[in-house]
């Protein structure tokens, strides 16, 4: 069992006795977007064969720095100098960097879901002679690569039928197929469960043993401590520290550099006194939208009291998101049956807008494809679910909208030059906050949060927890689906455990701990 | 001394940099305006001033009125992430329906217009139904519609042209708004401008519209300032606003020297304002953009995506019907070929105006300017006597250039 405590103690072979030999030096990198200075004279030195972690708050500029390095932003669009393998590099595009062995795996995976693993791995790099793909060779090479990353799947499996954890491994296999020397992973474990994360990190250590240099961006500091040899911390587009990892480096110290002050608690204090039952779901059954004979949710029953924060734990695929989405306007599944009541009264949740007017809100786990209109502004996204509030007779009051957006920008500390910035241009964590703002603005009675802190930095997590506490204090009910057990344990009054579509257990805050939850998941 | 000099130098440097940056990020909008001006200037020169003669300006408006009317609906359909290929056929069919009702069956004009608009709505709704509730790609549904309604007009007209229409119907397209001012004022202005005659109403309307544009722009600008939205450099703001204001005055001044404002100009102008308003400041417009930008996210935000799609097509049907009536009235006859391939001009206008194929992006004003750009090209080339073969090729290339320009801009800014 991989408990949280098992993470402590870095297992990395120390490279102290090695001769320092930088494979990469980025010097005084400055990158501006209209109205935003994303990077301001950033320096980064990475030694050959090490695992180098980059930490920083949401919007600090981590992804941007990596995009500069990997040729997404070509030379000339930024200031500063990149020295790679001893030579000044002028990368014009991603091809250039890939030819030199720099491979980036972006925050959002870039696999084609309809294609097979093998097709994805050799996409644009096909094993072919005279334009005809040699499938035997392709599949054989794929098998070899999959063996290297420890993924047991036939090469012909479609990518959309495997989980995110395995998809990450496919991405790495793809990188390996390109003869990688410097592998960049931008938040690779954000969407992963703990044991999948562990596998991935161990794979990184293995690659390191084979001489591959890695740069990893992560908000999960326990993982950073576990794999990294050095940690560079970026704040507001500037390098603020470059730290030697090791026993002496604590998570708290990294956090201090990230946020610029001491942060003694990860969870805000709360004292809650839940009231009467606010929201209740009974006999909830859902079938799979395509494989109609498969029952995805079986007889689920759940209550949320006023002023209570209820967690749902479970592994990926347990049906937590499916449960939430089927409740929220029947957005998932078919043949949905069961009753939903609010303060004892049955409510109609058959469409999303009815669910919203009944007082529900659901913050999706997948903000890019389900949460945001990326091409539109923060203001547009913030008011989208509650346009009635900012309009009279169907005519929008733009001033009012701006005020609302500004209010939430402040309340949630969304980092952006203005609320007229497009959602697309925000950093991952700030996008998440915009989605949250949208749902807070609907003033729900019951807020369902699906992985609300995925990809969010420690400081912002704290802010989001504070908001959750505020909502509970106001007598609202909060349901929190999370794969991060410490978060559930630190925040919830009660935790349901879900497994294969069933709510298999319920633990009060006093009873709950990591082992108990795991045993409920495993026992079923 | 030296220092002061330096400072002044850097401040102008940052200023020009700001302007360049602004221009870069708004190249698309200015590009369209400049393209229209450049194309007009070009044809004005090569046609020895024929392009902007009063008669021709009037003509230009009449010729493009039905394209613009349909472009308004098409913009919404395209922003919602769909396309409507049937509008040319629907327009032709409605013209045929009007002709048969009025000419063959002696129905009143009012009744005919009402029936035609409702029929257009039903046609749009019927197509929208399959797109919205059955999720059949709009390309397929409206491709089918294009064939069906082309066939229906042939059947309805029995392969013949039907006409002519009575006067009351023709007024729809060929009528002019009468001058409400005393004739003396018109004569006074005519002497002043050395023109044969001047329609005072048209002239005043031009000034009023120009004033309105300046006022609205100023208001928008001060609001933007208040909220700290990146504001346009003053030179650009005034340049753009004054060009538009001047253009309005100019066009109406030209019209005033011919027969005044055509009825369709009023229809077109009012519809454009209404649709610009709907897309920019109503909840329904907002939701259409959300739907086209990300259908799944829109749905999960509580937007009734199916109903919106359905409405977008219904609206398109009504506008296609309106265009069909104007077109039939203008030709004074309904022919089986009316509206043939016109959907392509309409769609091209919307894309030239900056809408995106994938939905969620585009403006009414852009679509209207795009339609005018195509219209001026058509008209200018016809005056020059360029054959239809070259005309088609040039129009095709203009469309391609506009879209390439879009994509290039987008890639560069990303
Ligand atoms: N294309 C863009 N246009 C405008 N601003 C941008 C663009 N890309 C990034 N930014 C801005 O640059 C800053 C740095 O963003 P970046 O994505 O590098 O953050 P990050 O450190 O990776 O954050 P996160 O942890 O949330 O992923 C942010 O303020 C972001 O809004
Ligand atoms: Mg990032």
């Amino acid at each position: 069992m991989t408990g949280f405590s098992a993470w402590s103690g870095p297992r990395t072979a120390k490279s102290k006795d090695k001769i320092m030999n930088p494979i990469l030096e980025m010097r005084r990198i400055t990158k501006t977007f209209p109205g935003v200075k994303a990077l301001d004279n950033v320096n980064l030195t990475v030694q050959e064969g090490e695992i180098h972690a980059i930490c920083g708050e949401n919007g600090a500029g981590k992804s941007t720095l990596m995009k500069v390095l990997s040729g997404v932003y070509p030379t000339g669009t930024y200031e500063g100098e990149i020295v790679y393998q001893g030579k000044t590099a002028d990368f014009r595009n991603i091809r250039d960097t890939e030819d030199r062995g720099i491979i980036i795996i972006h925050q959002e995976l870039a696999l084609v879901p309809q294609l097979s693993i093998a097709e994805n791995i050799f996409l644009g790099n096909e094993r072919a002679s005279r334009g005809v793909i040699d499938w035997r060779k392709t599949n054989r090479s794929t098998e070899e690569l999959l063996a290297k990353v420890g993924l047991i799947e036939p090469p012909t499996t479609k990518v959309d039928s495997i989980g995110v954890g395995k998809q990450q491994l496919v991405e790495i296999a793809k990188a390996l197929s390109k003869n990688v020397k410097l592998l960049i992973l931008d938040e690779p474990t954000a969407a992963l469960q703990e044991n999948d994360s562990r596998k991935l990190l161990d794979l990184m250590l293995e690659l390191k043993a084979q001489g591959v240099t890695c740069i990893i961006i992560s908000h999960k500091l326990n993982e950073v401590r576990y794999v990294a040899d050095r940690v560079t911390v970026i704040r507001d587009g500037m390098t603020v520290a470059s730290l030697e990892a090791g026993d002496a480096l604590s998570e708290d110290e990294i956090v201090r550099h990230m946020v610029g002050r001491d942060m003694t608690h990860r969870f805000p204090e709360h004292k809650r006194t839940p009231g009467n039952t606010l929201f209740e779901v009974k006999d909830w059954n859902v079938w799979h939208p395509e494989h109609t004979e498969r029952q995805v949710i079986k007889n689920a029953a759940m209550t949320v009291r006023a002023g209570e924060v209820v967690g749902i734990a479970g592994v990926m695929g347990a049906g937590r998101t499916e449960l939430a989405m089927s409740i929220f306007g029947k957005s998932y599944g078919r043949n949905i049956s069961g009753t939903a009541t609010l303060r004892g009264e049955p409510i109609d949740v058959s469409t999303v807008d009815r669910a919203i007017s009944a007082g529900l809100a659901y913050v999706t786990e997948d903000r890019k494809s389900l949460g945001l209109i990326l091409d539109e502004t923060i203001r547009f996204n913030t008011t989208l679910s509650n346009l009635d509030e900012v309009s009279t007779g169907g005519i929008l009051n733009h001033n009012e909208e701006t005020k609302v957006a500004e209010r939430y920008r402040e309340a949630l500390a969304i980092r952006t030059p203005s609320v007229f910035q497009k959602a697309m241009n925000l950093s991952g964590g700030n996008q998440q906050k915009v989605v949250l703002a949208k749902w807070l603005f609907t003033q729900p009675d019951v807020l369902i949060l699906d992985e609300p802190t995925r990809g969010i930095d420690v400081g912002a997590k704290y802010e989001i927890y504070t908001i959750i506490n505020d909502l509970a204090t106001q007598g609202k009910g909060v349901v929190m689906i999370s794969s991060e057990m410490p978060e559930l344990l630190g925040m919830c009054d009660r935790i349901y455990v879900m497994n294969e579509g069933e709510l298999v257990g319920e633990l009060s805050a006093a009873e709950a701990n990591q082992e108990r939850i795991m045993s409920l998941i495993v026992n079923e | 001394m030296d220092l002061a000099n330096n400072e002044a130098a850097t401040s102008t440097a940052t200023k020009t940099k700001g302007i360049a940056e602004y221009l870069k990020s708004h190249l698309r909008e200015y590009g369209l305006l400049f393209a229209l001006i450049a194309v007009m200037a070009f044809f004005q020169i090569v046609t020895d001033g024929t392009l902007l003669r009063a008669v021709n300006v009037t003509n230009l408006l009449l010729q493009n009125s039905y394209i613009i009317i349909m472009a308004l609906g098409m913009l919404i359909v395209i922003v919602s992430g769909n396309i409507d290929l049937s509008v040319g056929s629907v327009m032709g069919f409605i013209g045929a329906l009007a002709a048969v009702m009025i000419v063959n069956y002696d129905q009143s004009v009012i009744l005919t217009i009402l029936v035609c608009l409702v029929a257009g709505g039903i046609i749009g709704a019927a197509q929208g139904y399959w797109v919205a509730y059955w999720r059949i790609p709009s390309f397929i549904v409206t491709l089918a519609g294009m064939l069906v309604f082309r066939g229906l007009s042939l059947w309805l007209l029995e392969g013949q042209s039907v006409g002519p229409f009575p006067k009351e119907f023709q007024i729809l397209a060929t009528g002019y708004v009468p001058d409400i001012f005393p004739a003396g004022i018109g004569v006074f202005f005519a002497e002043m401008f050395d023109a044969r005659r001047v329609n005072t109403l048209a002239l005043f309307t031009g000034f009023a519209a120009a004033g309105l544009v300046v006022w609205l722009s100023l208001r928008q600008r001060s609001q933007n300032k208040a909220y700290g939205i990146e504001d346009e450099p003053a030179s650009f703001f005034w340049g753009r606003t004054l060009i538009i204001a001047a253009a309005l005055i100019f066009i109406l001044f030209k019209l005033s020297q011919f027969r005044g404002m055509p009825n369709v100009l009023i229809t077109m102008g009012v519809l454009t304002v209404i649709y610009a308003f709907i897309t920019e400041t109503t909840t329904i417009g907002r939701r259409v953009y959300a739907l086209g930008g990300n259908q799944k996210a829109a749905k999960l935000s509580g937007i009734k995506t199916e109903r919106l799609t359905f409405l977008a097509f219904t609206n398109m049907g009504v506008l296609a019907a309106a265009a069909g009536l104007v077109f039939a009235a203008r030709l004074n006859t309904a022919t089986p070929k009316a509206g043939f391939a016109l959907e392509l001009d309409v769609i091209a206008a919307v894309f030239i105006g900056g809408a995106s194929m994938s939905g969620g992006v585009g403006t009414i004003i852009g679509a209207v300017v795009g339609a005018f750009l195509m219209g001026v090209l058509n008209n200018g080339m016809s005056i020059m006597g360029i054959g239809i073969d070259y005309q088609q090729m040039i129009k095709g290339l203009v469309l391609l250039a506009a879209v390439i320009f879009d994509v290039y801009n987008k890639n560069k800014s990303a």
Side-chain angles (χ1 to χ4, degrees), chain A residues 59 62-64 107 186-187 217 219 427-429:
Chain A
K62 305 178 296 293
S63 298
T64 307
Q107 206 161 352
D186 194 349
E187 297 195 33
I217 296 177
H219 290 294
S427 77

Side-chain angles (χ1 to χ4, degrees), chain A residues 105-135:
Chain A
I105 299 177
H106 287 286
Q107 206 161 352
E108 295 79 31
L109 296 182
L111 298 173
V112 184
Q114 295 87 1
L115 296 184
S116 70
I117 294 179
E119 284 167 319
N120 264 294
I121 287 181
F122 292 106
L123 194 63
N125 185 17
E126 286 83 3
R127 293 283 171 271
S129 59
R130 284 192 230 101
V132 179
I133 295 182
D134 181 344
W135 286 110

Side-chain angles (χ1 to χ4, degrees), chain A residues 6 12 56 78 106 141 151 193 249 260 276 285 296 301 313 316 319 338 367 444 456 493:
Chain A
T12 44
Y78 59 88
H106 287 286
S141 316
L151 178 61
Q193 299 272 325
L249 181 66
N276 294 331
N285 288 294
V296 186
M316 210 159 285
R367 56 186 167 243
I456 293 222
D493 300 306

Side-chain angles (χ1 to χ4, degrees), chain B residues 1-140:
Chain B
M1 173 73 204
D2 223 290
L3 198 74
N5 245 341
N6 252 344
E7 236 163 51
T10 35
S11 104
T12 46
T14 48
K15 210 166 164 191
T16 46
K17 195 180 163 206
I19 289 180
E21 212 161 70
Y22 184 85
L23 187 61
K24 232 195 219 155
S25 54
H26 293 258
L27 213 52
R28 188 62 171 98
E29 295 105 77
Y30 291 109
L32 192 62
L33 196 60
F34 284 137
L36 182 63
I37 293 171
V39 166
M40 286 178 82
F42 172 77
F43 283 114
Q44 175 71 1
I45 293 166
V46 296
T47 61
D48 287 331
T50 313
L51 184 83
L52 292 181
R53 279 192 19 218
V55 189
N56 197 54
V57 171
T58 307
N59 231 332
L60 200 60
L61 288 174
L62 294 180
Q63 271 174 3
N64 290 296
S65 53
Y66 40 90
I67 303 229
I68 288 173
I69 290 173
M70 289 198 286
L72 302 175
M74 188 65 80
L75 184 271
I76 291 179
V77 168
I78 286 176
V79 166
S80 80
N82 294 292
I83 194 134
D84 192 339
L85 298 174
S86 72
V87 293
S89 297
V90 172
M91 187 188 119
F93 171 69
I94 295 293
L97 181 63
V100 169
M101 277 183 77
I102 294 180
V103 179
N104 295 3
Y105 289 91
D106 268 336
Q107 297 298 320
S108 79
V109 170
I110 298 289
L111 179 73
T112 305
I113 290 175
L114 280 178
V115 168
C116 283
L117 291 178
V118 171
I122 291 173
I123 290 170
Q127 300 192 79
Y129 172 76
W130 298 111
V131 178
Y133 297 100
W134 286 72
R135 285 166 217 284
I136 300 175
S138 54
F139 188 94
I140 311 273

Side-chain angles (χ1 to χ4, degrees), chain A residues 52-313:
Chain A
H52 196 113
I54 298 179
C55 295
E57 296 183 283
N58 298 124
K62 305 178 296 293
S63 298
T64 307
L65 185 66
M66 291 304 107
K67 285 180 185 166
V68 165
L69 171 57
S70 58
V72 175
Y73 301 130
T75 183
T77 61
Y78 59 88
E79 288 153 44
E81 189 187 18
I82 301 177
V83 180
Y84 177 64
Q85 291 180 326
K87 274 178 280 186
T88 306
D90 294 318
F91 299 129
R92 278 159 307 165
N93 49 43
I94 307 174
R95 255 262 135 73
D96 268 5
T97 55
E98 287 193 348
D99 288 347
R100 304 276 307 271
I102 302 177
I103 312 277
I104 183 166
I105 299 177
H106 287 286
Q107 206 161 352
E108 295 79 31
L109 296 182
L111 298 173
V112 184
Q114 295 87 1
L115 296 184
S116 70
I117 294 179
E119 284 167 319
N120 264 294
I121 287 181
F122 292 106
L123 194 63
N125 185 17
E126 286 83 3
R127 293 283 171 271
S129 59
R130 284 192 230 101
V132 179
I133 295 182
D134 181 344
W135 286 110
R136 279 246 313 275
K137 208 161 142 198
T138 303
N139 287 338
R140 218 178 34 240
S141 316
T142 305
E143 271 164 16
E144 281 166 21
L145 290 165
L146 292 185
K148 270 194 204 165
V149 300
L151 178 61
I152 312 153
E153 282 286 342
T156 49
T157 312
K158 295 250 180 305
V159 161
D160 59 5
S161 66
I162 60 176
V164 201
K166 290 181 176 174
Q167 289 183 13
Q168 279 286 4
L169 296 178
V170 173
E171 282 269 20
I172 294 180
K174 186 173 174 181
L176 293 181
S177 80
K178 290 175 190 160
N179 191 17
V180 57
K181 292 201 185 67
L182 175 59
L183 180 64
I184 305 165
L185 299 140
D186 194 349
E187 297 195 33
T189 59
L192 299 193
Q193 299 272 325
E194 216 170 284
N195 43 356
D196 282 337
S197 299
R198 183 63 161 260
K199 258 189 226 149
L200 190 119
L201 298 173
D202 285 337
L203 175 62
M204 283 178 69
L205 292 170
E206 221 165 276
L207 290 175
K208 173 182 153 185
Q210 292 164 22
V212 177
T213 312
C214 276
I215 298 178
I216 178 174
I217 296 177
S218 179
H219 290 294
K220 298 185 178 172
L221 300 180
N222 51 353
E223 300 178 359
V224 167
R225 287 195 64 216
Y226 181 68
V227 291
D229 299 304
R230 278 197 87 71
V231 181
T232 294
V233 182
I234 297 179
R235 184 167 77 227
D236 294 333
M238 285 180 265
T239 321
V240 291
S242 189
L243 311 161
E244 180 89 18
D247 294 323
L249 181 66
S250 65
E251 284 181 34
D252 285 340
E253 186 172 352
I254 303 177
V255 172
R256 205 181 65 233
H257 288 292
M258 279 171 65
V259 300
R261 62 187 154 82
D262 273 315
M263 244 190 88
T264 38
H265 298 288
R266 293 294 167 80
F267 301 99
E269 294 270 335
H270 62 256
K271 236 199 354 256
R272 300 197 200 105
T273 41
N276 294 331
T277 300
L278 177 69
F279 178 63
E280 184 165 16
V281 179
K282 258 196 251 166
D283 309 321
W284 203 257
N285 288 294
V286 180
W287 272 263
H288 194 278
E290 279 120 42
H291 311 288
T292 41
E293 71 293 340
R294 222 173 88 201
Q295 188 167 1
V296 186
I297 304 293
K298 294 162 203 148
N299 273 318
M302 171 171 98
T303 57
V304 183
R305 293 195 285 164
E308 189 183 33
V309 179
V310 176
I312 307 182

